[in-house]
């Protein structure tokens, strides 16, 4: 049977941008910008996306499309009889670890979306929003029920396959997502006192730049672009042979960055207009924003809009994570897609339930000094992604033959190979050093 694939440039793009745009853009980015010197951080982040990350996106696409296989098999094909396939295995584990906490937040988002729909009819009690959030996340049943529902939606999409599932739904969700965020930006920018938020986002204060800020920017670029765990290798394996990988990588990187800036524009002016601290973290989205929505004209409608945006962004990222595991399980164990997705979903839901419970009744259980939820978060984002990314650039720059890389980059010589020499140089020298620096910083901290 012919392997499923995306239908063309736009199909691949909505899927990869869908993977990249997620909770990382809507929550983590604005808040990191806040902690790390605002505009100056954004400039460094941009430089990293353009210089270091673009060649890595292309690399993952090349590994995937060359082999047309899941992320473990891809390494087995390109480096038979070597331990390189362990990088693929690590990617599958990273995907599961991210899913184990990301889907819990997806569940919260689902809960808040429904809640905000109900608030259209009855206003929330502003003073108790924080308490409501704590009550919800620490409850032993409620967030798990929402996580199960959230998983159900994702499982359904992934079961439908690449073209008829992931691509089909991303085609609908991604344009809607961008449009909705623009509406939210317009609302936020027209609030009285919005300009303080703009200053915060766009007026660079270079005195705040130090190595920690630089490293935080690189780490965020990695997480936000879904790099380092075979997500883009897996999606790359479904890219038709005649698509220009360089152009795809560039458009993906730019779109994700644009979305991060839009998210900042949607959130920060509102946060500043209401005199709230931008460094709230998870509460920013679930406590502070509802408080703001409760106080602005038509706020209840914008609340629905915001949580719908968050939900869509989370779904298109979760399906990409699930596909990494699904592609591996179906191809490795010759299992039917539907069966594989069902099994993976059950497994993820069980892990996610533990993460969820660790916010409440299991709060005392610690793994390496962290709650279960934080452990999955830390393990994936701070350890597995940078490590995976490091091995991928070493693999591309030093193990794979340059001709192979060039051949796939140029679609067997039919494309010009724009920027190839520069990208290759970055893969060999610049990226490994930069990633090693981030990684060391993250472990040593
Ligand atoms: N990029 C996603 C986000 O910003 C998270 C993610 C990481 C998705 C790794 C897939 C793989 O939320």
């Amino acid at each position: 049977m012919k392997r499923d694939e995306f239908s063309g440039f736009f199909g691949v793009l909505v899927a990869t941008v869908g993977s990249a745009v997620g909770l990382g853009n809507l929550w983590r980015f604005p808040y990191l910008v806040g902690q790390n010197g605002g505009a100056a951080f954004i400039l460094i982040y941009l430089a990293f996306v353009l210089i270091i990350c673009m060649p890595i996106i292309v690399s993952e696409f090349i590994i995937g499309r060359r082999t047309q296989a899941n992320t473990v098999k891809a390494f087995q094909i390109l480096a038979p009889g070597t331990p390189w396939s362990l990088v693929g295995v690590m990617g599958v584990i990273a995907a599961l670890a991210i899913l184990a906490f990301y889907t819990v937040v997806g569940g919260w988002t689902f809960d808040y979306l429904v809640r905000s729909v109900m608030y259209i009819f009855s206003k929330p009690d502003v003073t108790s929003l924080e308490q409501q959030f704590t009550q919800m996340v620490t409850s032993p049943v409620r967030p798990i029920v929402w996580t199960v529902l959230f998983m159900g939606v994702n499982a359904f999409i992934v079961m439908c396959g690449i073209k008829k599932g992931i691509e089909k739904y991303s085609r609908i969700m991604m344009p809607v997502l961008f449009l909705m965020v623009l509406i939210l930006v317009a609302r936020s920018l027209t609030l009285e006192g919005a300009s303080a938020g703009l200053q915060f986002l766009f007026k660079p204060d270079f005195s705040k730049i130090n190595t920690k800020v630089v490293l935080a920017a690189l780490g965020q670029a990695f997480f936000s672009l879904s790099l380092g765990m075979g997500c883009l290798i897996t999606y790359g394996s479904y890219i038709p042979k005649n698509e220009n990988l360089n152009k795809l990588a560039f458009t993906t990187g730019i779109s994700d960055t644009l979305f991060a800036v839009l998210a900042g524009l949607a959130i920060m002016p509102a946060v500043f207009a209401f005199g709230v601290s931008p460094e709230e973290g998870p509460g920013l989205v679930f406590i502070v924003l509802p408080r703001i929505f409760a106080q602005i004209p038509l706020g209840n409608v914008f609340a629905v809009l915001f949580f719908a945006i968050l939900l869509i962004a989370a779904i298109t990222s979760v399906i990409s994570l699930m596909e990494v595991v699904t592609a591996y399980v179906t191809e490795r164990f010759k299992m039917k897609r539907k069966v594989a997705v069902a099994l993976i979903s059950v497994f993820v839901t069980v892990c996610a339930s533990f993460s969820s419970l660790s916010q409440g009744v299991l709060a005392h259980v610690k793994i390496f000094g962290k709650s279960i939820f934080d452990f999955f978060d830390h393990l994936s984002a701070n350890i597995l992604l940078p490590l995976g990314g490091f091995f991928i650039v070493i693999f591309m720059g030093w193990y794979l033959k340059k001709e192979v890389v060039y051949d796939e980059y140029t679609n067997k010589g039919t494309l010009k190979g724009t920027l190839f020499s520069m990208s290759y140089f970055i893969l060999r020298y610049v990226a490994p050093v930069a990633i090693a620096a981030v990684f060391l910083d993250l472990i040593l901290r």
Side-chain angles (χ1 to χ4, degrees), residues 186-435:
R187 168 68 275 196
S188 189
L189 287 180
T190 48
L191 288 172
E192 206 174 318
S195 60
L198 288 182
Q199 269 200 10
F200 176 72
L201 283 171
F202 295 116
K203 201 161 154 256
D205 176 359
F206 288 105
S207 69
K208 293 223 179 100
I209 298 297
N210 53 39
T211 49
K212 198 175 141 265
V213 172
V214 174
L215 296 171
L218 183 58
Q220 170 62 11
F222 242 79
F223 185 81
S224 190
L225 291 167
S226 309
L227 286 181
M229 39 76 66
C231 201
L232 299 184
I233 294 179
T234 307
Y235 273 13
S237 74
Y238 305 121
I239 300 178
K241 284 284 185 191
N242 58 349
E243 293 304 332
N244 182 335
L245 297 182
N246 194 31
K247 205 164 114 194
L248 268 171
F250 188 78
T251 322
T252 303
I254 294 295
S255 310
D256 182 65
T257 309
L258 182 70
F259 195 92
V261 173
L262 285 176
L265 279 177
I267 296 170
M268 281 310 156
V271 166
F272 275 81
F274 280 82
V276 200
S277 159
E279 295 172 23
E280 281 267 351
L284 189 69
V285 170
F286 293 100
I287 302 166
V288 176
L289 285 187
R291 197 185 303 151
I292 295 171
F293 290 135
Q295 294 171 60
I296 59 178
L298 284 183
N300 39 21
V301 177
F302 288 103
V304 173
L305 193 65
F306 179 78
F307 287 108
I309 289 172
L310 206 58
L311 187 68
I312 293 177
I315 289 174
T316 52
S317 294
V318 167
I319 54 180
S320 74
L321 289 159
M322 285 182 61
E323 183 56 33
V324 172
V325 192
T326 306
Y328 171 65
V329 172
T330 49
E331 287 165 16
R332 168 73 178 75
F333 301 102
K334 310 257 176 294
M335 201 182 275
K336 282 220 160 54
R337 175 170 272 269
K338 289 201 168 75
V339 180
V341 175
L343 288 178
I344 295 163
S345 303
V346 171
F347 180 75
V348 167
T349 307
V350 171
C351 298
S353 301
F354 281 107
S355 301
S356 179
L357 292 173
S358 77
Q359 303 283 319
V361 289
L362 293 184
H364 58 282
V365 180
K366 300 277 181 222
I367 310 175
F368 299 112
K370 291 184 190 311
S371 74
I372 301 172
F373 186 102
D374 291 345
F375 170 74
F376 283 131
D377 181 338
H378 181 79
L379 173 72
S380 55
N382 295 356
I383 299 175
L384 296 176
L385 293 195
L387 201 58
F390 180 75
F391 286 129
I392 288 169
V393 288
I394 299 288
F395 184 74
M396 290 298 284
W398 298 91
Y399 182 87
L400 262 195
K401 287 216 169 56
K402 190 172 176 180
E403 298 78 61
V404 173
V405 179
Y406 187 76
D407 186 61
E408 198 62 38
Y409 189 90
T410 57
N411 295 354
K412 299 199 178 305
T414 57
L415 297 172
K416 268 201 295 231
T418 319
L419 298 178
F420 180 80
S421 310
M422 198 182 78
S423 297
Y424 198 72
F425 177 81
I426 293 170
L427 284 177
R428 262 174 96 88
Y429 305 104
V430 184
V433 173
I435 299 168

